[in-house]
Amino acid sequence: MRSDPLSYLSAELDTLKQQGLFRRLRILDGEQKSTSTIDHRQVVNLSSNNYLGLTTHPKLRARALDALERLGVGSGSVRTIAGTMAIHMELERRLASFKNTEAVVVFQSGFAANAGTVAAVLSKDDVVVSDELNHASIIDGCRLSRAAIKVFPHKDAGAARRVLQDLPGNQRKLLITDGVFSMDGDLGALPALCALAEEFGCIMMVDDAHASGVFGRNGRGTIDHFGMHGRVDIQVGTLSKAIGALGGYVAGSRALIEFLYHRARPFLFSTSHPPAVAAACIAALDVLEEEPQIIERLWENTRFFKAGLQALGFNTGLSESPITPVIAGEGALAMKLSDRLFEEGVFAQGIAYPTVARDKARVRTIVTATHTREELQFALDVFAKVGRELGLR
Ligand SMILES: Cc1ncc(COP(=O)(O)O)c(C=O)c1O
């Protein structure tokens, strides 16, 4: 009999189990909401990216249903063959006007937008200068591009400058940062990096996946928040987080977008969104314009919960956004914290290496606009109890 050529995978999984890092997928029994039923247990949900509660917003549901009835369940093709429907173009126009850029291209996910774009605009003679905590999709895009990769310490524009000073003036350079860092909730050093990009002639790119719908006027993101319009050549956003549905997009000049239509591989070689998803995203943009009070509620909840965790004495890092980490240290301890919180009725996912540094494992909390004060106070009480039990406060 043939021996299993994949047996080494089971050995790696056994190692994860021994280290207390093996995770079972938690299963949502119903909708993605502020209190959800997960693994048959009702818990206050502090783990989603559903910042504005739009996954279940009635306007998004109604428009998705309407598109489903009128246009069917799928697009049936990649965009460049037969899969560009009028509703895809409408979504791109709406996003371009939202982001205040000439044009937008929508990808199947934020991951595909980052990886596909970096890999398309750079090649092996180029260099990318990247914050050390940038998202995995940026890192993969850099690897796929075959450009040289220079990493600077988190948010350290001085270090980025030293990297740039040592590079040949005529080499093509991409300077890239997350707008909001997904595991720490702090903001990229946008003003300083934009100034560097101008000084050294770099392409400036910002991944605003966690900022769109959260920062800036009506949720226009960190470029708007910092007043950097016109100074960022490539803006990435996601439709999977605050927008509540699925997808990613790149906003920039008409030439950039036309180029990506021709060269971004996830765009060229993967089927476009079902029309209902595009319709839900357009409805979400309407909500951002018509109901900005939802964003204000998100921020009120953020201030309340972050202050509560800090008052309890947890290490919450340097977060400036609705993402607040509770840093435990060892991976196994973070997983224990997450498990105990869950048993007590709070879902905050544990996150360990390789997603974060080995000694900075954490549970990551994300509040949404739809959490009630009672839910957040309950979560704080549970954090207080479990944190004391595990010696974290
Ligand atoms: C910073 C950042 N960029 C990009 C992505 C990818 O977005 P999506 O979930 O739409 O693929 C994520 C999501 O995990 C993220 O946190």
Side-chain angles (χ1 to χ4, degrees), residues 46 184 206 255-256 351 367:
L46 294 175
D184 292 87
V206 175
L256 170 71
I351 296 177
V367 299

Side-chain angles (χ1 to χ4, degrees), residues 83-324:
T84 296
M85 302 173 95
I87 201 161
H88 295 128
M89 298 311 291
E90 185 187 343
L91 174 59
E92 290 182 346
R93 278 193 301 275
R94 286 293 306 274
L95 285 166
S97 108
F98 178 62
K99 286 285 172 170
N100 200 19
T101 58
E102 276 178 16
V104 155
V105 51
V106 169
F107 286 79
Q108 297 82 356
S109 69
F111 196 108
N114 270 329
T117 300
V118 176
V121 299
L122 296 184
S123 58
K124 68 175 176 30
D125 297 327
D126 305 330
V127 59
V128 47
V129 181
S130 176
D131 188 291
E132 66 176 334
L133 294 188
N134 278 344
H135 190 255
S137 52
I138 293 176
I139 297 169
D140 285 9
C142 295
R143 290 174 180 161
L144 283 169
S145 75
R146 293 178 298 142
I149 303 169
K150 307 271 182 197
V151 173
F152 60 89
H154 185 44
K155 293 181 68 162
D156 188 343
R161 159 180 280 281
R162 288 191 289 283
V163 171
L164 289 166
Q165 273 167 340
D166 286 346
L167 295 172
N170 60 357
Q171 191 174 24
R172 184 172 295 131
K173 308 167 195 67
L174 175 75
L175 185 54
I176 184 162
T177 182
D178 281 2
V180 173
F181 288 87
S182 55
M183 295 300 144
D184 292 87
D186 55 344
L187 298 184
L190 251 63
L193 294 179
C194 286
L196 280 183
E198 283 153 12
E199 184 181 341
F200 290 91
C202 309
I203 305 161
M204 182 71 211
M205 177 164 169
V206 175
D207 170 12
D208 241 359
H210 286 274
S212 303
V214 176
F215 282 89
R217 285 168 304 138
N218 299 80
R220 283 179 165 73
T222 56
I223 285 95
D224 191 79
H225 171 78
F226 284 116
M228 296 285 128
H229 286 290
R231 299 179 66 186
V232 175
D233 304 292
I234 308 179
Q235 299 183 39
V236 168
T238 179
L239 303 165
S240 327
K241 302 186 194 299
I243 299 299
L246 177 71
Y249 58 94
V250 175
S253 67
R254 168 61 57 195
L256 170 71
I257 302 316
E258 290 290 346
F259 178 82
L260 293 174
Y261 279 173
H262 288 82
R263 287 287 179 271
R265 292 170 70 83
F267 182 84
L268 291 169
F269 296 111
S270 187
T271 296
S272 52
H273 277 134
V277 172
C281 294
I282 294 169
L285 294 172
D286 289 342
V287 170
L288 291 182
E289 268 166 34
E290 291 160 8
E291 302 175 38
Q293 67 278 11
I294 297 186
I295 304 177
E296 196 33 55
R297 271 212 301 282
L298 169 67
W299 281 101
E300 281 165 16
N301 281 347
T302 297
R303 286 188 285 272
F304 174 78
F305 193 67
K306 208 184 284 294
L309 285 175
Q310 285 162 356
L312 290 173
F314 287 109
N315 175 2
T316 59
L318 299 172
S319 166
E320 302 164 79
S321 72
I323 300 171
T324 308

